[in-house]
Amino acid sequence: MLTDCHNHILPEMDDGSETVEMSVTMLHMMHQQGIERVVATPHFYCHREKNVASFLERRQRKFEKLMEANPTIQNILLGAEVAIEKGLCDTPGIEKLAIEGTDLILLELPYAPYQDWMEEEIDNIAMTYHLTPILAHVHRYLDWYSKTQIRQMMRFDAIFQINAEVFESFSQRRIAKEIIKRELPFLFGSDCHNITDRKPNFDILQKKLKAEILEKSNVLLEQHLHK
C-alpha cells in the first residue's frame, strides 16, 4: 500500500494546508499519484504548545473537519513531526505523538550545528517509551553538519525518512542513495504543505525509483503497524 509517511495535510493545523478545500485538493493530488494511505504529521513544538493533550485535541478536531469533506483518500493515520528540543523526553504524554497504531515517532532535528544532546534526546525517547524514532528529511542537514557528523547521524538506531524532492537535487540525493544502498531502514514522504511550491510530489519517486525500492518503505511501515 503506497504510503506518504510525512506531510502537512490537516487544515489550519500548522504552516501546511490553510483550508479544508486545500487539504481535499492535496489528497486528490496524492490519489492521482498512486498514494493509498497517508500519515498526517503536523508540527509539534514543545515550547509552543500548552501540552500534548491540547495538541491532540486540536489535531482530532482538524482531522474530523477534513473527513467531513469526504476526501479522496480515507486511509489516514495521525501522527506528528516532533521537533527535538532539550528536555523533550521529559514532556508528559510525548509517547502519544507516535503514529497511531505503531511504535513509530517522527522526529525533526534542529536546523543548527550538531550537538551530542540531540542524539541523547532521541535515545532517551526510544528507551523510555519503547518507540522507534524516525528522523525526518535527513538530507536537509547537509548544510549544518560536517561529513563526520552526517556519518554519525547515519549510525543512529533510527529509521531515516526521505523526502521525494531529494531525487531532484544532485547534492542531496547522494545521502538518500547511500541510505538505500546500505540497506538502512527508510520511509518516503512528500512533506507537502500546499498545492503550489510545496505540493504533493510522489510522482518524482515513481519516475526516479524502481517499484521494489518504493515497496521497501511500504513494507517497513506495515511491519510496525500493530495488527
Side-chain angles (χ1 to χ4, degrees):
M1 183 179 293
L2 190 59
T3 305
D4 185 332
C5 294
H6 179 182
N7 54 76
H8 299 268
I9 60 160
L10 294 185
E12 304 170 323
M13 187 71 191
D14 54 13
D15 61 342
S17 176
E18 298 174 356
T19 64
V20 171
E21 292 74 21
M22 181 180 288
S23 297
V24 170
T25 300
M26 291 168 73
L27 287 166
H28 181 65
M29 294 171 70
M30 291 175 166
H31 178 71
Q32 290 182 317
Q33 294 169 10
I35 294 172
E36 302 167 275
R37 178 173 56 197
V38 169
V39 180
T41 52
H43 287 290
F44 177 88
Y45 298 101
C46 190
H47 68 280
R48 296 182 187 176
E49 299 290 339
K50 181 180 179 181
N51 50 50
V52 171
S54 63
F55 173 86
L56 295 176
E57 290 171 4
R58 181 162 56 94
R59 187 186 68 178
Q60 185 63 27
R61 290 198 307 271
K62 302 302 183 182
F63 172 69
E64 291 176 359
K65 191 174 181 180
L66 171 59
M67 297 310 290
E68 287 173 2
N70 194 28
T72 309
I73 298 176
Q74 297 282 313
N75 193 347
I76 300 175
L77 303 178
L78 298 178
E81 180 180 7
V82 184
I84 297 173
E85 304 177 24
K86 280 189 175 181
L88 178 67
C89 64
D90 297 322
T91 302
I94 196 71
E95 74 280 3
K96 296 177 182 177
L97 298 177
I99 297 170
E100 63 176 333
T102 79
D103 64 341
L104 302 171
I105 186 166
L106 181 66
L107 302 174
E108 180 182 33
L109 289 160
Y111 291 104
Y114 177 84
Q115 298 181 57
D116 289 339
W117 67 262
M118 300 174 186
E119 184 176 2
E120 292 171 3
E121 287 290 339
I122 295 170
D123 288 343
N124 287 338
I125 289 172
M127 291 186 292
T128 303
Y129 303 105
H130 307 289
L131 295 173
T132 301
I134 307 170
L135 297 186
H137 40 60
V138 290
H139 52 283
R140 289 192 180 168
Y141 307 109
L142 293 174
D143 292 337
W144 293 100
Y145 301 169
S146 67
K147 291 183 178 179
T148 299
Q149 290 168 338
I150 289 292
R151 286 195 293 270
Q152 181 176 348
M153 180 181 70
M154 292 177 67
R155 290 195 294 268
F156 287 1
D157 187 12
I159 294 171
F160 301 95
Q161 188 265 308
I162 302 169
N163 282 7
E165 83 269 3
V166 74
F167 293 99
E168 292 192 323
S169 168
F170 179 78
S171 60
Q172 292 185 345
R173 68 187 178 196
R174 287 179 295 177
I175 186 172
K177 288 187 173 181
E178 184 174 354
I179 288 170
I180 294 170
K181 182 179 180 181
R182 290 172 55 182
E183 297 188 343
L184 299 175
F186 62 86
L187 292 169
F188 289 122
S190 66
D191 197 8
C192 60
H193 281 62
N194 52 47
I195 56 175
T196 53
D197 59 322
R198 301 188 69 180
K199 61 186 178 182
N201 57 5
F202 253 59
D203 52 333
I204 295 173
L205 296 178
Q206 303 277 21
K207 294 175 183 176
K208 301 289 185 178
L209 298 177
K210 295 180 179 179
E212 54 263 34
I213 299 298
L214 283 172
E215 183 60 15
K216 284 187 176 182
S217 173
N218 301 325
V219 168
L220 180 59
L221 180 60
E222 291 288 344
Q223 290 172 345
H224 285 267
L225 281 169
H226 303 318
K227 305 301 183 181

